[in-house]
Amino acid sequence: MAEHKVHPVDEKMPTGRLAALGLQHVLVMYAGAIAVPLIVGRALKLTPEQVAMLISADLFCCGLVTLIQSLGVTRWFGIRLPVMMGVTFAAVGPMVAFANAMPGVDGARAIFGAIIGAGILSMLIAPLVSKLLRFFPPVVTGTIIAIIGISLMRVGVGWATGGPAPMAQSVDVPKLVAMVDAAKATAAAAPAAASGSAAAIKLPGPIPMVDNPAYGALDNLAIAAAVLVFILLLVKYARGFVANISVLLGIVAGCVVAAGLGKMGFDKVAKAGWFDVVTPLAFGMPTFDPVMILTMTLVMLVVMIESTGMFLALSDITGRKIDQPALAAGLRTDGLGTLLGGLFNTFPYTSFSQNVGLVGVTGVKSRWVCVAGGLIMIVLGMLPKMAALVESIPSFVLGGAGLVMFGMVAATGIRILSTVDFKGNRHNLYIVALSIGFGLVPLVAPRWSQQMPHSLHPLLESGILLTSLAAVALNIFFNGAREDRAGTVAAAKVAEAH
């Protein structure tokens, strides 16, 4: 009787090789995994200790959700393929908008509440998502991914320059006081004052501003540029695994330079403990806002459509066919991961395309490699010193790497759009053009919605959501709702090849 052959996806390897390959997956995704808690934590104006807590929680949940997705938990959760789960960049825009409207711990609790609500709804709608695939052909998903990268470029530039654009200048208080005093004196001497009515005070010119010396400091910009150049050299001359972790190595090199110049301190690392358990609801009981929950649910719908393409492509790469229940279980895990993220003080989760691409590059198809990677992430999440070290990385170091990371997200969207038929269907040009135009509105006119109901601001201030809604609506208007499963798989493979 012939011995039953183990499918490559279920192959168990020696522990040493499994750990090495798992660490490879962790290193490939690490820079992307830590970026989101750094962006949102600093947008919320949390303390360094609180940002470090977000980083620990993020790494811990990355590992936990990866275990659920790769191992499978009951027939309801887990795609049981080699998948590494990480925080999605698609949710960054809405979360930063929430943070700007409500900074501090209260804002964090509102974000976590929205994430918990979106996670629950995502689990409920997971079986229906594959049926919605027809509304998200490559012309839609490519446009959405492109605007995610374009929107995040503002964060990367802000890291490199020392903060968002409004920080470039501040009010020159002494000059303003002198101007006000002079205007008061002029108004007091005006003829209107003699008749008993108060004269209006008018400043003789615009409010005086003074440049912020820390904004755009040339030495910081030089380090950001050096990080960028180092990454580009690795991309051009390195091969294989080293090229795949070029962004992470660039951050490490930038930290070495910053520390050598005295621009990076390790006091917080020294004070942090060696081991700690990630506790749920560390910021207190979340608050639940219906509009914020709806906004995050729309983000999760986009995330799950993207995950569907990834799962179908991964099925093609590994040779393991997935049926409708398996696909629903994988998408349901996106929702469960998001629910766990909200409970454990972190953010929405999805499969990382870099790791799916790594499966195709290395040819190692075993899901146990990702299980090993998940265990490593859980351990990293319980090392406060590691989180404190990440939090200590200067923003300008992250800026050089951010331009590459976020630019690659935009480039991935453009690569997906390269599979779209623009010559035979000119309507696709209008879908892309108008959808990106809508997505740029909050970037070029941040206060465009100030006359609209305040409850709608989280939705209207996210270029990613505006692009998503516009692209879906325009595609239905021009192209109807034709399903293109082959096109979706092809687009997902293009997205992984970076």
Side-chain angles (χ1 to χ4, degrees):
M1 184 176 175
E3 185 180 345
H4 178 67
K5 189 176 180 182
V6 176
H7 194 282
V9 169
D10 298 319
E11 180 187 359
K12 292 183 180 179
M13 305 174 185
T15 305
R17 184 162 185 246
L18 210 56
L21 291 170
L23 180 62
Q24 185 180 34
H25 273 279
V26 169
L27 293 176
V28 165
M29 70 177 291
Y30 193 81
I34 63 174
V36 175
L38 285 171
I39 295 169
V40 179
R42 291 173 180 176
L44 282 166
K45 298 180 173 59
L46 299 178
T47 65
E49 292 75 20
Q50 290 171 327
V51 175
M53 187 191 303
L54 291 182
I55 295 166
S56 289
D58 174 39
L59 296 176
F60 177 82
C61 283
C62 278
L64 181 60
V65 184
T66 295
L67 291 182
I68 296 171
Q69 191 70 280
S70 297
L71 275 178
V73 178
T74 74
R75 66 190 181 95
W76 302 105
F77 297 101
I79 193 75
R80 291 176 171 85
L81 289 173
V83 175
M84 291 292 291
M85 301 291 286
V87 175
T88 174
F89 282 125
V92 169
M95 290 191 296
V96 169
F98 298 158
N100 291 336
M102 190 190 302
V105 173
D106 289 342
R109 288 202 298 263
I111 289 174
F112 297 144
I115 291 169
I116 290 170
I120 294 171
L121 291 176
S122 298
M123 285 192 288
L124 295 175
I125 65 173
L128 305 175
V129 168
S130 60
K131 297 177 182 177
L132 298 177
L133 201 57
R134 68 186 63 214
F135 298 110
F136 291 83
V139 69
V140 173
T141 55
T143 304
I144 293 171
I145 293 172
I147 204 68
I148 290 171
I150 292 168
S151 299
L152 289 173
M153 287 299 287
R154 179 173 56 177
V155 175
V157 173
W159 277 346
T161 55
M167 289 184 63
Q169 291 184 315
S170 58
V171 176
D172 190 336
V173 177
K175 282 188 178 180
L176 179 60
V177 170
M179 286 177 67
V180 170
D181 289 343
K184 284 181 178 178
T186 302
S195 62
S197 61
I201 297 176
K202 293 183 68 175
L203 294 179
I207 294 176
M209 306 294 287
V210 60
D211 289 344
N212 177 1
Y215 187 87
L218 295 181
D219 51 350
N220 293 346
L221 288 175
I223 295 175
V227 170
L228 178 60
V229 169
F230 184 77
I231 293 171
L232 294 179
L233 290 174
L234 287 178
V235 170
K236 181 173 175 62
Y237 296 109
R239 292 291 180 269
F241 177 58
V242 174
N244 284 334
I245 62 169
S246 56
V247 172
L248 180 61
L249 293 177
I251 293 174
V252 172
C255 288
V256 171
V257 173
L261 295 174
K263 290 179 172 289
M264 180 178 177
F266 299 95
D267 293 343
K268 289 173 280 188
V269 180
K271 292 177 183 176
W274 283 102
F275 180 84
D276 197 9
V277 176
V278 177
T279 54
L281 305 180
F283 288 81
M285 186 58 65
T287 56
F288 299 94
D289 179 277
V291 175
M292 290 175 68
I293 292 173
L294 174 62
T295 301
M296 293 305 297
T297 303
L298 290 173
V299 169
M300 285 305 299
L301 181 60
V302 173
V303 166
M304 288 193 290
I305 292 293
E306 187 182 355
S307 292
T308 299
M310 295 294 173
F311 294 152
L312 294 174
L314 195 54
S315 168
D316 198 42
I317 292 169
T318 61
R320 168 166 282 181
K321 299 304 177 186
I322 53 175
D323 54 16
Q324 198 71 25
L327 184 58
L331 296 175
R332 199 178 286 114
T333 305
D334 278 6
L336 177 62
T338 299
L339 170 60
L340 291 173
L343 291 172
F344 280 94
N345 327 299
T346 182
F347 311 110
Y349 284 86
T350 186
S351 56
F352 258 37
S353 63
Q354 298 97 316
N355 296 90
V356 177
L358 190 61
V359 172
V361 170
T362 63
V364 178
K365 303 171 183 177
S366 173
R367 61 192 173 107
W368 293 98
V369 170
C370 291
V371 170
L375 291 172
I376 292 170
M377 295 293 277
I378 288 175
V379 172
L380 291 175
M382 294 190 289
L383 301 177
K385 281 192 182 295
M386 177 64 72
L389 178 63
V390 171
E391 196 284 326
S392 299
I393 298 174
S395 294
F396 49 83
V397 171
L398 293 170
L403 292 178
V404 178
M405 273 194 296
F406 307 144
M408 283 300 293
V409 175
T412 298
I414 294 169
R415 289 183 65 173
I416 291 174
L417 289 174
S418 70
T419 67
V420 174
D421 178 16
F422 290 109
K423 189 174 182 180
N425 183 354
R426 65 188 182 89
H427 294 152
N428 287 331
L429 287 171
Y430 290 91
I431 295 171
V432 176
L434 289 172
S435 299
I436 288 180
F438 280 117
L440 290 176
V441 169
L443 293 180
V444 299
R447 300 186 62 86
W448 79 281
S449 60
Q450 66 182 19
Q451 306 298 333
M452 301 180 192
H454 191 268
S455 59
L456 294 178
H457 283 199
L459 182 64
L460 298 173
E461 291 173 3
S462 170
I464 296 166
L465 286 178
L466 291 178
T467 290
S468 302
L469 294 172
V472 170
L474 288 168
N475 180 64
I476 292 172
F477 176 71
F478 283 119
N479 297 330
R482 297 187 299 271
E483 185 167 8
D484 184 10
R485 188 182 178 105
T488 300
V489 174
K493 286 183 176 179
V494 167
E496 294 152 15
H498 70 272

